[in-house]
Amino acid sequence: MSDQIHDRLLIIDFGSQVTQLIARRLREANVYCEIHPFNTVDDAFLQRFAPKAVILSGGPASVLDTGSPRAPQTVFELGVPVLGICYGQQVMMEQLGGKVEGGHHREFGRAFVQPSGAHTANQIFRGLFTEGREEVWMSHGDRVTALAPGFEIIGTSPGSPMAIIADTERNFYAVQFHPEVHHTPSGRQMLQNFTRLAGFTGDWTMAAYREEAIRKIRDQVGDAKVICGLSGGVDSSVAAVLIHEAIGDQLTCVFVDHGLLRLNEADEVVTMFRDHYNIPLIHADEADLFLGELEGVSEPETKRKTIGRLFIDVFQKHANDIEGAAFLAQGTLYPDVIESVSFAGGPSVTIKSHHNVGGLPEKMGLKLVEPLRELFKDEVRALGRELGLPASFIGRHPFPGPGLAIRCPGEITREKLEILRKADAVFIDQIRKHGLYDEIWQAFVAILPVRTVGVMGDGRTYDFACALRAVTSVDGMTADYYPFSHEFLGETATRIVGEVNGINRVTYDITSKPPGTIEWE
Ligand code: XMP
């Protein structure tokens, strides 16, 4: 933490659903920030982290409840700007000598704020209120009723007389609304203004990150060898190229081909890494092993678990051949790292067991190198571009670890996989030809365990039916089906039935998530 060269902003998380959005907005303003749960931030942490500014997030608790979360008092003694958002505003008032009360009317949704008095010129309002008022998103029950010493009201809304308050001497600001959400259109500007008044210059760029990450990888790894499990996806590919740039041939990539990849996928990955990047690569062609063990398996969770188990075995087998390997590289991203703050507790229900290699490092006694731990997905793509990875590769749709197995409901056979690969390639070709690829989060074909009767030429056919799936999404958590034109769907169905032996019927899956999921299993 302490060896970073750029300035850092600390977000103390009180458990709001939208805390991650604060980080997103700040990163967009080229400010480096990290989210840490309130109960992990103590004085020693603050000293190590040395934030140039602090933001206190919203949260579901009420400061009036006994035992509700607080910020360490030291936060207010660091001499750096602090911004409190919603619950964060109330925490600030409570801890600095103001007053918060409940029982007022709850305020949810759209509101309009205006600067009060002569405060339009405050730095935090730069570029705002050009039309008199700004739309903001409110979501609170309690509210501040008495200001802490040193604070004054600098903005109000009809429902929140203390919508924006400040102690301009100490650069403490607090807002009742949520500047980080989409529904506060000028919130991004307000957050950026806060960082600029805190002295951030916007030095968080991918070029700077690349240099710094390379230096950190070299420091961490020294002369040791690193193994990287390559899936062909964007994250592990960017991690591999970055690490290779840092330590060259000390890196070996292992690409486990489970026989459940798309048409030509294995060739593309191997060619790119071995030939184009010159990265030592072990291509573990284990299709026979995986497909053998999956024979007769049709239950989705059994499929996933079988693949996950074999993947670890195979990876381990090949990794053992690499002498002196001490590190395992993973493309872990920031959203996987952020510890969520839970007040209610209790594990969530497992809908699908996602296959990953999480258990590997402990089993193999390897330490982890995770150079993307601080990045969001779109930042990983930007880093990939910075590293010169082809645009077509960086923009690829996500592909699940278990591959085509979960797009083949029922029993998996080589025949079905062959048909599925061809149909999928036609569908993606159609999408690319119509210029729709980048508008769609993910698109694929699922082959259904159903044969139907058709007529082709003068003959009867009895072949598989398939389903097209194409969705829009922001993060894969929720999704909508893509509204293709009927013309597009008709043309695609004609092409698939005409070009792919084994399919004589095409359907389009128009289920959203929820209640559906993106994959079929
Ligand atoms: P679902 O089907 O759960 O998928 O709506 C959400 C997103 O996750 C991908 N997915 C996986 N990715 N390993 C992965 O790496 C998995 O086991 C896995 N299962 C689903 C899916 O493709 C979609 O993008």
Side-chain angles (χ1 to χ4, degrees), residues 231 304 351-356 397-403 406-407 441-442 444 469 471 473 475-479 513 516-521:
S231 67
R304 283 174 171 275
I351 307 289
K352 301 178 183 185
S353 33
H354 276 218
H355 138 227
N356 58 45
H397 290 170
F399 186 64
I406 56 175
R407 296 176 178 177
W441 160 269
Q442 204 169 4
F444 57 88
R469 181 78 164 139
V471 296
S473 176
D475 50 14
M477 303 295 286
T478 58
K513 171 183 179 175
T517 55
I518 296 176
E519 303 289 347
W520 271 53
E521 289 189 334

Side-chain angles (χ1 to χ4, degrees), residues 322-339:
I322 302 164
E323 223 174 288
F327 291 90
L328 176 74
Q330 283 189 341
T332 316
L333 302 192
Y334 195 46
D336 310 323
V337 173
I338 303 172
E339 270 179 74

Side-chain angles (χ1 to χ4, degrees), residues 4-318:
Q4 298 186 353
I5 49 172
H6 45 73
D7 293 327
R8 278 166 295 169
L9 187 148
L10 170 66
I11 300 167
I12 299 183
D13 185 17
F14 290 111
S16 157
Q17 299 282 325
V18 289
T19 301
Q20 276 207 29
L21 292 181
I22 306 175
R24 290 297 314 124
R25 299 287 94 85
L26 294 174
R27 297 277 182 102
E28 283 159 13
N30 295 331
V31 168
Y32 181 76
C33 60
E34 288 182 22
I35 300 173
H36 291 272
F38 72 93
N39 49 3
T40 62
V41 176
D42 57 16
D43 290 357
F45 174 90
L46 287 168
Q47 203 175 10
R48 260 185 296 132
F49 192 92
K52 203 179 173 80
V54 178
I55 292 182
L56 309 176
S57 86
S62 162
V63 291
L64 303 170
D65 293 343
T66 22
S68 56
R70 295 288 182 272
Q73 201 65 25
T74 325
V75 162
F76 305 109
E77 292 153 14
L78 294 170
V80 302
V82 181
L83 171 67
I85 295 175
C86 197
Y87 182 82
Q89 183 197 43
Q90 293 156 17
V91 161
M92 248 167 125
M93 286 304 100
E94 188 72 16
Q95 292 189 234
L96 294 174
K99 201 162 182 226
V100 176
E101 283 179 19
H104 291 274
H105 74 288
R106 298 157 75 80
E107 201 181 6
F108 290 102
R110 203 156 75 128
F112 289 92
V113 293
Q114 280 183 303
S116 41
H119 290 289
T120 341
N122 191 298
Q123 281 188 73
I124 198 119
F125 293 154
R126 198 168 53 85
L128 304 183
F129 300 116
T130 48
E131 282 162 29
R133 58 182 198 167
E134 294 289 349
E135 184 180 336
V136 299
W137 184 258
M138 294 279 187
S139 171
H140 63 98
D142 302 340
R143 72 178 187 194
V144 177
T145 51
L147 293 176
F151 277 80
E152 56 187 328
I153 296 170
I154 64 168
T156 61
S157 78
S160 289
M162 300 189 189
I164 313 174
I165 55 180
D167 172 343
T168 48
E169 280 289 302
R170 289 185 286 178
N171 270 333
F172 289 173
Y173 288 84
V175 294
Q176 178 66 82
F177 54 88
H178 286 272
E180 68 275 33
V181 303
H182 221 67
H183 299 85
T184 302
S186 59
R188 177 191 308 250
Q189 178 70 42
M190 199 178 287
L191 287 169
Q192 175 164 341
N193 290 346
F194 172 71
T195 67
R196 297 304 183 257
L197 72 83
F200 286 89
T201 54
D203 63 350
W204 168 254
T205 62
M206 272 310 140
Y209 182 79
R210 175 187 188 174
E211 292 305 312
E212 192 182 318
I214 286 174
R215 188 175 50 78
K216 277 165 75 176
I217 294 165
R218 287 186 184 140
D219 286 352
Q220 186 189 2
V221 169
D223 298 332
K225 293 222 169 116
V226 179
I227 313 165
C228 178
L230 210 57
S231 67
V234 178
D235 305 341
S236 64
S237 301
V238 171
V241 173
L242 183 69
I243 294 171
H244 188 248
E245 192 161 302
I247 59 166
D249 286 358
Q250 284 165 253
L251 170 74
T252 305
C253 290
V254 180
F255 173 56
V256 178
D257 179 350
H258 48 24
L260 298 159
L261 297 168
R262 291 166 291 189
L263 196 67
N264 301 330
E265 191 159 19
D267 278 351
E268 283 168 18
V269 171
V270 172
T271 308
M272 182 159 99
F273 285 91
R274 204 179 267 164
D275 301 348
H276 185 67
Y277 280 101
N278 233 350
I279 298 179
L281 176 75
I282 296 172
H283 176 188
D285 182 356
E286 300 281 1
D288 288 345
L289 172 72
F290 280 81
L291 299 183
E293 293 253 348
L294 286 168
E295 217 175 292
V297 177
S298 54
E299 204 281 313
E301 277 300 290
T302 317
K303 279 185 191 173
R304 283 174 171 275
K305 294 210 163 108
T306 306
I307 295 168
R309 170 174 57 78
L310 292 176
F311 191 92
I312 291 187
D313 289 350
V314 168
F315 189 87
Q316 200 162 1
K317 184 175 83 188
H318 289 280

